[in-house]
């Protein structure tokens, strides 16, 4: 199957999580339930932030962006999984596979970028509280988000252009439940050296640097908390970081687990199962993390749902 002459009939085979027929209905129900909870939970966060003037602050601006990205993140992979499970099919077109790779990269990396920006926001709020509104002004917040989108769109486009150079054998099997960049490179029938080099460089720049930024922000926050004399002040300052720390731990913990599982076991099934935590479960849990641990969000959600309740 030549890379320069693909048609809609050209297809890959997604091997999925399991080929056992009895598990297909259970997988369909599980993926559908998680998808609906994810979309509903993140949508409620967006509506609560946009409808409550008390939440029109930089922290909740980034949170609403994170919720939007999480909705798009799961919508990139789960609907195709549901269609294939329902139709008892494993097919995905070449164009559909490249499209899935492109948008998956965008939303996966954007999650990490937003968590990094939110860590910087918490650093400014705790270490420079008197200058917080001056530093984290609407112009800077919007610029940080727009720059993140621009960088990610550009890097993902380069990945896709490099993938277009590769050739794939007819009936190529992808040992995953969605088209993932590293897997696509592995199953290619042509030389992939350039793709691997760019993947390594992009992973270092878009993965290691954001995580380093988060660690630096929280190291400065920890030093600032240690210098506080009031125990109540320490608790109040740290409580504002609790939800974000949980989200960071979940995102990087599960994504790191995917790569460790993949490298350590060399089992496609285990790698795919680990990817479910990173790609499906994490976006579902983020709304619960930020609503259950945050009084402001809980109050906004209560007022939002209260307004939507019918009058007696």
């Amino acid at each position: 199957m030549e890379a320069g002459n693909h048609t809609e009939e050209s297809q890959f085979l997604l091997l999925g999580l399991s080929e056992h027929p009895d598990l297909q209905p259970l997988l369909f129900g599980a993926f559908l339930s998680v998808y609906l909870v994810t979309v509903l939970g993140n949508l409620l966060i967006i509506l609560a932030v946009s409808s409550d003037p008390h939440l029109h602050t930089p922290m909740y601006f980034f949170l609403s962006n994170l919720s939007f990205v999480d909705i798009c993140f799961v919508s990139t992979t789960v609907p195709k999984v549901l269609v294939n499970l329902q139709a008892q099919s494993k097919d995905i077109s070449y164009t559909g596979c490249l499209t899935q790779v492109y948008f998956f990269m965008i939303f996966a990396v954007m999650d990490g970028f937003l968590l990094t920006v939110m860590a910087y926001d918490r650093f400014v709020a705790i270490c420079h509280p008197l200058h917080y509104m001056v530093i984290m002004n609407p112009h800077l917040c919007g610029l940080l988000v727009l720059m993140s989108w621009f960088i990610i769109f550009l890097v993902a486009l380069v990945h896709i252009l490099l993938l277009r150079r590769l050739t794939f054998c007819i009936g190529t099997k992808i040992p995953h439940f969605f088209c993932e960049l590293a897997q696509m490179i592995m199953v290619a029938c042509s030389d992939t050296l350039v793709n691997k080099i760019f993947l390594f460089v992009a992973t270092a720049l878009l993965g290691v640097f954001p995580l380093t930024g988060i660690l630096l922000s929280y190291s400065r926050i920890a030093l600032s908390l240690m210098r506080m004399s009031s125990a109540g002040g320490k608790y109040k300052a740290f409580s504002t970081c609790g939800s974000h720390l949980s989200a960071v731990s979940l995102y990087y913990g599960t994504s790191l687990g995917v790569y460790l599982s993949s490298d350590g076991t060399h089992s496609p099934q285990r790698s795919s199962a680990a990817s479910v935590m990173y790609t499906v479960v994490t976006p579902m849990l983020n709304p619960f993390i930020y609503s259950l641990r945050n009084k402001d969000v809980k109050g906004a959600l209560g007022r939002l749902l209260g307004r939507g309740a019918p009058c007696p």
Side-chain angles (χ1 to χ4, degrees), residues 115-129:
L115 290 174
T116 305
V117 172
M118 292 169 77
Y120 176 71
D121 172 78
R122 292 298 83 206
F123 158 71
V124 175
I126 293 175
C127 299
H128 304 283

Side-chain angles (χ1 to χ4, degrees), residues 43-70:
L43 187 60
L44 284 174
I45 293 291
I46 295 172
L47 292 175
V49 171
S50 61
S51 64
D52 195 322
H54 296 93
L55 301 185
H56 292 176
T57 62
M59 180 174 69
Y60 296 111
F61 168 74
F62 296 130
L63 176 59
S64 60
N65 275 272
L66 181 66
S67 293
F68 170 75
V69 170
D70 281 342

Side-chain angles (χ1 to χ4, degrees), residues 73-138:
F73 193 18
V74 295
S75 297
T76 302
T77 57
V78 175
K80 181 58 180 175
V81 174
L82 295 174
V83 169
N84 282 5
L85 287 172
Q86 183 66 23
Q88 298 294 310
S89 169
K90 299 180 182 295
D91 298 341
I92 185 170
S93 68
Y94 173 78
T95 302
C97 202
L98 287 187
T99 302
Q100 196 173 70
V101 169
Y102 180 67
F103 286 106
F104 179 83
M105 284 189 293
I106 288 173
F107 298 126
V109 178
M110 191 63 187
D111 247 13
F113 271 35
L114 284 173
L115 290 174
T116 305
V117 172
M118 292 169 77
Y120 176 71
D121 172 78
R122 292 298 83 206
F123 158 71
V124 175
I126 293 175
C127 299
H128 304 283
L130 299 179
H131 304 286
Y132 175 70
M133 294 309 299
V134 176
I135 297 175
M136 299 304 295
N137 59 78

Side-chain angles (χ1 to χ4, degrees), residues 52-243:
D52 195 322
H54 296 93
L55 301 185
H56 292 176
T57 62
M59 180 174 69
Y60 296 111
F61 168 74
F62 296 130
L63 176 59
S64 60
N65 275 272
L66 181 66
S67 293
F68 170 75
V69 170
D70 281 342
I71 292 175
C72 297
F73 193 18
V74 295
S75 297
T76 302
T77 57
V78 175
K80 181 58 180 175
V81 174
L82 295 174
V83 169
N84 282 5
L85 287 172
Q86 183 66 23
Q88 298 294 310
S89 169
K90 299 180 182 295
D91 298 341
I92 185 170
S93 68
Y94 173 78
T95 302
C97 202
L98 287 187
T99 302
Q100 196 173 70
V101 169
Y102 180 67
F103 286 106
F104 179 83
M105 284 189 293
I106 288 173
F107 298 126
V109 178
M110 191 63 187
D111 247 13
F113 271 35
L114 284 173
L115 290 174
T116 305
V117 172
M118 292 169 77
Y120 176 71
D121 172 78
R122 292 298 83 206
F123 158 71
V124 175
I126 293 175
C127 299
H128 304 283
L130 299 179
H131 304 286
Y132 175 70
M133 294 309 299
V134 176
I135 297 175
M136 299 304 295
N137 59 78
H139 177 74
L140 177 63
C141 294
L143 185 62
L144 288 172
V145 173
L146 288 176
M147 285 181 58
S148 298
W149 281 114
F150 176 76
I151 293 171
I152 295 167
F153 274 121
L154 185 62
V155 173
L157 180 61
V158 175
H159 275 301
I160 293 301
L161 292 176
L162 291 175
L163 274 182
R164 292 280 298 175
R165 298 172 54 255
L166 303 180
T167 58
F168 298 90
C169 301
I170 296 175
T172 297
K173 296 180 180 179
I174 301 175
H176 220 304
F177 63 91
F178 67 95
C179 292
E180 197 261 340
L181 177 61
Q183 295 289 342
M184 291 282 291
I185 294 174
M186 288 176 58
V187 300
C189 299
S190 55
D191 182 60
T192 60
L193 179 60
V194 176
N195 298 74
K196 290 178 179 178
I197 292 174
F198 188 72
L199 177 60
F200 176 80
V201 173
T203 302
L205 294 176
L206 304 182
V208 176
F209 282 2
L211 180 58
T212 303
I214 293 173
L215 294 176
L216 286 175
S217 295
Y218 274 103
S219 64
R220 296 289 300 275
I221 289 173
L223 290 175
S224 179
L225 292 178
M226 290 174 62
R227 288 195 291 264
M228 287 185 181
S229 57
S230 170
K234 289 182 180 180
Y235 175 79
K236 183 178 179 181
F238 186 77
S239 65
T240 64
C241 303
S243 299

